[in-house]
């Protein structure tokens, strides 16, 4: 049945069932949150930034479908050690390539939710050093 | 395999009437289980709308020539059919709108916001309503200071009728309820609720979007003051809906749309309105849609609404028996099909409803996933989303077998 289930390839299911970098991140200075009103998918992203504008650590929280949550998990693995400008330069093609699955227009929204949340987090930097 | 169905409806013959059901999805038979969102259309309805445009397209109520007379005759003929379909006393109690949503908004705006409701008056709804029977009342609250109250459901999805004792007061002006829940399938005791509303001097507004396609409706027996439903969920075209109102209720309602058709006389700065129901049909109406809905009503009437209801009870019972037996699957709403229409919300352990729908899609099975435009109900059960299968005249036990096989595939993927 492999061909029929292109969406649910092993790496997607692996990230969904065993999410990387999931949970709160004490000391994070950048946060983003958004939900997909159509599905109720939710992704929250926490970024800890070091003195040289580099992402020292990243965690996500959320709930939703396999595509949205696997995408968030994969995104966190792409962000550690990356500078903020480089993170900000990540685009949808990078995410789609990372996911490596064919996506319909509706499921694309699930896949790109975490990227959108990343942009929100970078865009509204809050002073939260405590 | 499916056991042979009792001969309530000749489903193979019905399926043959629906061109779309001949379609394959990825080489699989199309199994359409999303009629609660919108139904498919039989050839008869498709032909009727196309026939209007091919043969007698003209505007209604105005043209003097033959085409206009034919169009008006068919449009008004559809109104008569729909009046009869829900046992209204007169076609004048039937307003053509574009949807259930528009129908409910006409009532909220014209009877509530611009009409009877004063600051502090109360509107009693339920937690199981579709958004279209929530949000219009929010407008009345926001603009007129109405107080909104809601009857809760129990864990089986049954309205807690005893709460009406407390919630209904002499300030209650509107009581609104779905005849049938679009998520739980619960069929609500609207006749009793309308009686209780009338005892405190309130009107009863009924959302029949999920009921009109699936069971006989008698507005006189229900004693509803307003009742709304949509054409597209009952084999008709999209963009056509119905608002039924008792004559006195419609007379007390201000129009939502001003424009052509709805007026008697217009002068600079003032106008007088046309009679009910035309007062509510400003602008050129959806003529083809109304005619198509009339033909859909013919189709349903020929099958028989009692037979349709009995057929759906059988399919729903079969689905409940099959699906509830699968470990890791939870269903929502009543399990007694006498209290439940052919709507089955469910969740599968460890699989998000969207992933369920995606995997079933690969199998050619169309179901809905999400909050079903009923977020307050989802909150009530603390669910982010559910999957939902819904059944209609063209579904049979084989479709249910396909669904259960699909659910097992989902469980394999997410094991």
């Amino acid at each position: 049945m492999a061909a029929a289930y292109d969406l649910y390839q092993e790496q997607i299911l692996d990230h969904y069932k065993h999410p990387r970098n999931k949970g709160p991140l004490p000391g994070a200075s950048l946060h983003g949150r958004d939900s997909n009103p159509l599905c109720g998918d939710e992704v929250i992203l926490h970024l800890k930034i070091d003195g040289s504008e580099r992402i020292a650590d990243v965690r996500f929280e959320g709930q939703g479908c396999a595509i949205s949550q696997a995408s968030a998990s994969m995104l966190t693995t792409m962000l550690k050690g990356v500078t903020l400008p480089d993170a900000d330069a990540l685009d949808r093609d990078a995410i789609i390539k990372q996911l490596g699955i064919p996506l319909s227009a509706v499921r694309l929204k699930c896949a790109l939710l975490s990227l959108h949340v990343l942009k929100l987090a970078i865009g509204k930097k809050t002073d939260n050093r405590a | 395999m499916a056991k042979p169905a009792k001969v309530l409806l000749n489903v193979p013959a019905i399926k043959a009437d629906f061109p779309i059901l001949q379609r394959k999805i990825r080489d699989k038979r199309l199994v359409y289980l999303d009629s609660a969102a919108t139904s498919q259309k039989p050839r008869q309805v498709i032909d009727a709308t196309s026939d209007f445009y091919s043969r007698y397209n003209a505007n209604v109520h105005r043209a003097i020539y033959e085409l206009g007379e034919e169009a008006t005759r068919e449009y008004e003929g559809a109104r008569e059919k729909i009046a009869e379909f829900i046992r209204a006393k007169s076609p004048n109690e039937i307003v053509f709108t574009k949807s259930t949503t528009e129908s409910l908004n006409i009532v909220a705006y014209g009877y509530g916001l611009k009409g009877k409701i004063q600051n502090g008056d109360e509107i009693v709804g339920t937690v199981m309503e579709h958004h279209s029977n929530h949000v219009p009342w929010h407008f009345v609250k926001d603009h007129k200071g109405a107080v909104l109250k809601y009857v809760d459901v129990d864990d089986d999805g049954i309205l807690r009728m005893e709460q009406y004792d407390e919630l209904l007061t002499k300030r209650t002006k509107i009581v609104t309820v779905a005849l049938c829940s679009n998520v739980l399938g619960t069929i609500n005791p609207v006749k009793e609720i309308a009686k209780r509303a009338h005892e405190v001097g309130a009107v009863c507004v009924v959302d029949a979007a999920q009921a009109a396609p699936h069971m006989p409706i008698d507005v006189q027996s229900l004693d509803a003051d307003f009742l709304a439903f949509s054409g597209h969920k009952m084999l008709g075209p999209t963009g056509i809906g119905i608002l039924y109102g008792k004559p006195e209720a419609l007379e007390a309602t201000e129009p939502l749309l001003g424009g052509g058709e709805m007026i008697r006389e217009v002068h600079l700065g003032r106008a007088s309105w046309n009679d009910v129901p035309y007062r509510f049909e400003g602008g050129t109406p959806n003529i083809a849609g109304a005619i198509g809905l009339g033909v859909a009503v013919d189709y349903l009437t020929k099958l028989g609404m009692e037979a349709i209801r009995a057929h759906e009870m059988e399919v729903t019972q079969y689905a409940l028996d099959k699906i509830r037996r699968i470990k890791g699957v939870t269903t929502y709403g009543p399990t007694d099909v006498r209290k439940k229409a052919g709507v089955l919300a469910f969740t599968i352990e460890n699989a998000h409803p969207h992933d369920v729908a995606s995997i079933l899609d690969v199998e050619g099975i169309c179901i809905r996933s999400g909050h079903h435009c009923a977020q307050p109900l989802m909150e009530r059960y603390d669910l982010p989303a559910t999957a939902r299968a819904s059944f209609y005249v063209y579904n049979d036990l084989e479709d249910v077998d396909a669904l259960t096989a699909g659910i097992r595939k989902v469980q394999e993927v997410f094991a």
Side-chain angles (χ1 to χ4, degrees):
Chain A
M1 71 182 192
Y5 293 98
D6 290 343
L7 263 183
Y8 299 96
Q9 285 170 9
E10 208 169 317
Q11 84 274 15
I12 300 287
L13 290 172
D14 180 45
H15 273 272
Y16 177 59
K17 291 176 188 171
H18 312 288
R20 322 295 198 267
N21 307 310
K22 190 160 182 190
L25 181 57
S29 57
L30 296 180
H31 309 270
R33 183 208 162 271
D34 201 11
S35 62
N36 182 345
L38 198 72
C39 347
D41 291 342
E42 182 189 36
V43 170
I44 302 166
L45 209 54
H46 308 290
L47 303 174
K48 195 186 268 182
I49 311 301
D50 68 13
S52 51
E53 292 287 280
R54 209 172 272 279
I55 297 172
D57 203 359
V58 52
R59 299 259 178 90
F60 85 98
E61 299 177 85
Q63 51 157 8
C65 68
I67 309 301
S68 72
Q69 300 305 301
S71 161
S73 170
M74 284 181 173
L75 180 65
T76 62
T77 66
M78 299 161 72
L79 290 175
K80 263 189 209 180
V82 171
T83 65
L84 278 181
D86 283 350
D88 198 27
L90 277 176
D91 62 6
R92 49 189 280 158
D93 292 342
I95 303 296
I96 292 165
K97 192 172 162 215
Q98 184 74 22
L99 286 167
I101 51 173
L103 289 162
S104 66
V106 174
R107 300 313 299 269
L108 200 57
K109 285 196 183 123
C110 309
L112 296 176
L113 178 62
S114 52
L115 178 69
H116 181 63
V117 171
L118 172 67
K119 305 286 173 179
L120 287 176
I122 294 174
K124 56 167 190 198
K125 190 171 177 175
T126 52
D127 193 3
N128 190 17
R129 271 165 287 187
Chain B
M1 272 313 290
K3 60 178 181 180
K6 279 178 247 161
V7 187
L8 296 168
L9 296 182
N10 183 353
V11 178
I14 293 170
K15 277 184 196 273
D17 281 336
F18 289 73
I20 204 168
L21 297 180
Q22 320 312 316
R23 208 191 132 168
K24 301 260 188 219
I25 299 288
R26 285 178 276 277
D27 289 329
K28 305 252 166 104
R29 178 173 78 88
L30 172 62
V31 178
Y32 188 76
L33 298 177
D34 198 18
S35 296
T38 194
S39 73
Q40 295 302 345
K41 324 300 175 198
R43 181 176 31 78
Q44 290 85 338
V45 168
I46 298 167
D47 287 351
T49 54
S50 135
D51 198 42
F52 164 70
Y53 288 121
S54 321
R55 289 188 43 248
Y56 59 100
N57 174 54
N59 214 330
V60 287
H61 300 146
R62 285 188 279 276
I64 302 298
Y65 44 84
E66 174 64 23
L67 294 184
E69 298 231 337
E70 283 180 29
T72 303
R73 195 161 57 234
E74 293 298 318
Y75 180 73
E76 290 304 324
R79 196 190 306 272
E80 286 167 22
K81 289 177 192 176
I82 289 151
E84 201 177 320
F85 184 68
I86 60 168
R87 307 276 182 272
K89 280 185 190 154
S90 152
N92 292 335
E93 298 168 352
I94 303 298
V95 180
F96 283 121
T97 66
K98 75 180 166 75
S99 56
T100 305
T101 300
E102 185 185 341
S103 299
L104 293 169
N105 273 274
I106 287 174
V107 179
Y109 176 84
Y111 187 88
L113 208 155
K114 295 242 353 235
K116 301 281 174 202
I117 301 299
Q118 306 300 325
N119 189 34
D121 283 348
E122 294 166 359
I123 299 170
V124 177
T126 85
V127 299
M128 72 163 79
E129 301 308 304
H130 186 281
H131 292 167
S132 62
N133 203 27
H134 276 298
V135 183
W137 307 113
H138 298 174
F139 297 163
V140 186
K141 166 178 158 273
D142 294 344
H143 291 274
K144 292 297 280 283
V147 176
L148 306 183
K149 296 172 161 185
Y150 302 97
V151 175
D152 194 12
V153 287
D154 67 17
D155 289 343
D156 294 326
I158 304 289
L159 273 186
R160 294 180 57 187
M161 289 295 288
E162 75 280 4
Q163 292 191 341
Y164 282 106
D165 296 340
E166 252 176 64
L167 294 180
L168 295 181
T169 72
K170 58 183 191 317
R171 296 297 315 252
T172 309
K173 293 292 183 290
I174 294 170
V175 176
T176 186
V177 61
L179 186 42
C180 174
S181 159
N182 70 314
V183 180
L184 306 167
T186 315
I187 299 168
N188 291 318
V190 164
K191 187 172 177 167
E192 169 67 16
I193 294 167
K195 183 166 160 276
R196 304 288 306 273
H198 295 150
E199 281 167 6
V200 295
V203 295
C204 184
V205 181
V206 180
D207 171 3
Q210 293 295 340
H214 302 285
M215 60 198 72
I217 287 186
D218 181 334
V219 286
Q220 295 183 58
S221 164
L222 289 177
D223 204 19
D225 299 277
F226 294 101
L227 183 135
F229 55 100
S230 293
H232 72 96
K233 291 190 204 290
M234 49 189 286
L235 311 182
T238 52
I240 186 77
I242 299 296
L243 173 63
Y244 157 84
K246 284 182 185 171
E248 60 274 24
L250 290 176
E251 287 295 345
T253 304
E254 302 225 4
L256 178 63
L257 296 176
E261 180 89 8
M262 57 77 68
I263 49 85
R264 181 173 308 284
E265 280 179 29
V266 181
H267 306 278
L268 292 178
R270 67 190 164 84
S272 58
W273 299 331
N274 203 339
D275 294 333
V276 166
Y278 308 105
R279 177 184 301 175
F280 304 103
E281 295 179 7
T284 293
N286 182 353
I287 306 166
I291 292 167
L293 178 55
V295 172
V297 162
D298 290 341
Y299 190 96
L300 292 170
T301 303
K302 201 168 154 200
L303 295 179
M305 293 309 293
E306 298 280 358
I308 291 171
R309 171 72 183 127
H311 169 75
E312 290 179 19
M313 282 170 78
E314 189 193 8
V315 174
T316 307
Q317 183 68 61
Y318 184 74
L320 279 167
D321 290 346
K322 279 268 192 165
I323 290 168
R324 286 169 62 81
R325 207 177 295 153
I326 305 173
K327 197 165 172 287
V329 177
T330 308
T331 64
Y332 303 90
T335 50
D336 178 350
V337 294
R338 287 168 304 175
K339 293 179 185 166
K340 185 182 179 74
V343 177
L344 188 54
F346 63 96
T347 51
I348 303 177
E349 208 179 343
N350 297 327
H352 190 277
H354 275 71
D355 297 317
V356 175
S358 273
I359 290 169
L360 291 177
D361 174 50
V362 174
E363 302 297 322
I365 303 167
C366 310
I367 63 149
R368 179 78 192 276
S369 61
H371 53 58
H372 317 295
C373 298
Q375 284 179 339
L377 183 65
M378 294 283 139
E379 278 173 12
R380 164 65 180 78
Y381 289 112
D382 198 20
L383 288 164
T386 76
R388 180 190 71 186
S390 51
F391 311 115
Y392 207 8
V393 294
Y394 36 67
N395 294 122
D396 54 17
L397 305 188
E398 253 180 76
D399 294 340
V400 176
D401 287 338
L403 174 65
T404 50
I407 289 173
R408 291 186 193 282
K409 292 223 160 111
V410 172
Q411 291 184 316
E412 281 173 38
V413 172
F414 287 94

